[in-house]
Amino acid sequence: MKKHLLTLLVLAPFTLTSCGNLFKGLSTPEGDEQLLVAARGCMDRGDYNCALEYYQALSNNYGDVKVNETSLAKLANSNVFKMSDLIGALGSSRGDGASFATMANAIAPRGVANATNRLLIQTTYTDNNAIVNTKLKAFSKFISSLSMLNIVLAEIAGADQVLTASDLVRNPTACKAAGVCIGNADCDQPAGSSVDLSNGTDPTGLDSSTGWGGTASLKQFIKAAEMSDVEVATFTGSTSNSGIFSAIDSLTTLGPLTEPCVRQSLLNTLGL
């Protein structure tokens, strides 16, 4: 069943919601309910260190929400992903391939698109394995894998910190118009770009840190898209989706392609 993404995000169990500061006047919240309200109040204010402190104080009775929202707080604290990034990229629609470019362009100017934060994202993905609720686990792992996909795109952006077609291929106009991508020099890596198809160590998944360090690569982007697609199928309960989910699914077909074909497909999918 196709669902509007914003509805899914609202209805996903235990996901981050705005709660207001019911216990704002308390200097030392006690008990899980007060700690959770305090943590979410800190998230609302953008005080992520404060949020992390309260989340860590939650007992195992709130294990799933603790892991899920701690992951979100860590990503937000490092400025690599905030829920507002996703909502802003989607607007009032379900989004499409261009939504990834929008999110990448939100990240690039922050100066956080680097190997250190790629490894942080990978850690949040594995941390989410501790979540018991199947759909919540998949939702939280989806956010981590989506963050990885977007941070790699942000690293492809040029010195102007804006992802453009010229950051992906040598000759965007000719590459888009070309019927054949194999061996097409117009679709080759542009001069000055440090993002190759592979950096020499390709990741096999997000459950391992291997392959996520070093220089960003298109193989990292492709693997992050594949992992995102797996999690989407679990937390939406459907393999047939539209909007941004459909775009993610199309990105999973890039793996076997040669580099010019990967770059041409990305150019078309991202709408650059």
Side-chain angles (χ1 to χ4, degrees):
M1 178 185 297
K2 297 180 179 179
K3 297 182 179 179
H4 194 293
L5 178 58
L6 296 182
T7 301
L8 288 171
L9 296 178
V10 170
L11 296 180
F14 303 113
T15 55
L16 181 63
T17 57
S18 176
C19 291
N21 296 326
L22 178 61
F23 295 98
K24 185 176 180 181
L26 297 178
S27 58
T28 55
E30 296 180 356
D32 286 330
E33 291 185 6
Q34 290 187 19
L35 287 168
L36 183 57
V37 170
R40 288 174 170 172
C42 292
M43 288 289 284
D44 288 344
R45 298 193 303 273
D47 188 346
Y48 305 116
N49 284 323
C50 162
L52 286 167
E53 180 180 349
Y54 285 128
Y55 282 131
Q56 290 306 309
L58 289 170
S59 74
N60 290 335
N61 291 330
Y62 278 66
D64 277 7
V65 70
K66 177 178 181 177
V67 176
N68 169 237
E69 297 190 21
T70 293
S71 176
L72 292 173
K74 285 181 177 179
L75 293 174
N77 194 41
S78 296
N79 220 8
V80 298
F81 179 85
K82 300 174 184 177
M83 291 302 295
S84 58
D85 295 336
L86 179 57
I87 302 303
L90 295 176
S92 59
S93 70
R94 300 182 183 188
D96 53 24
S99 301
F100 302 122
T102 300
M103 285 184 276
N105 284 330
I107 296 170
R110 298 173 188 169
V112 297
N114 53 50
T116 297
N117 284 322
R118 271 183 268 123
L119 291 172
L120 168 68
I121 293 170
Q122 186 276 324
T123 298
T124 65
Y125 184 92
T126 56
D127 287 347
N128 288 321
N129 285 324
I131 297 174
V132 175
N133 183 284
T134 302
K135 289 194 173 183
L136 178 60
K137 180 192 294 186
F139 172 80
S140 201
K141 292 172 81 170
F142 165 73
I143 293 298
S144 292
S145 53
L146 179 66
S147 300
M148 186 70 81
L149 184 157
N150 290 326
I151 201 171
V152 173
L153 272 187
E155 291 184 77
I156 295 174
D160 60 355
Q161 297 181 321
V162 177
L163 183 67
T164 66
S166 297
D167 294 320
L168 275 174
V169 299
R170 187 171 298 175
N171 187 328
T173 301
C175 181
K176 286 180 182 179
V180 177
C181 55
I182 299 175
N184 189 332
D186 291 321
C187 298
D188 280 346
Q189 180 179 352
S193 173
S194 62
V195 181
D196 298 319
L197 178 64
S198 170
N199 66 6
T201 306
D202 299 328
T204 58
L206 274 162
D207 282 313
S208 168
S209 61
T210 301
W212 295 109
T215 306
S217 71
L218 296 181
K219 288 287 189 180
Q220 291 174 341
F221 175 88
I222 294 168
K223 183 54 64 175
E226 291 174 357
M227 303 301 289
S228 297
D229 198 49
V230 169
E231 304 307 339
V232 165
T234 301
F235 90 80
T236 66
S238 172
T239 56
S240 177
N241 289 290
S242 59
I244 192 174
F245 293 152
S246 178
I248 290 173
D249 187 59
S250 70
L251 293 172
T252 64
T253 65
L254 301 181
L257 303 182
T258 62
E259 182 167 1
C261 295
V262 168
R263 291 180 177 277
Q264 185 189 59
S265 294
L266 275 178
L267 196 64
N268 292 327
T269 301
L270 301 178
L272 295 175

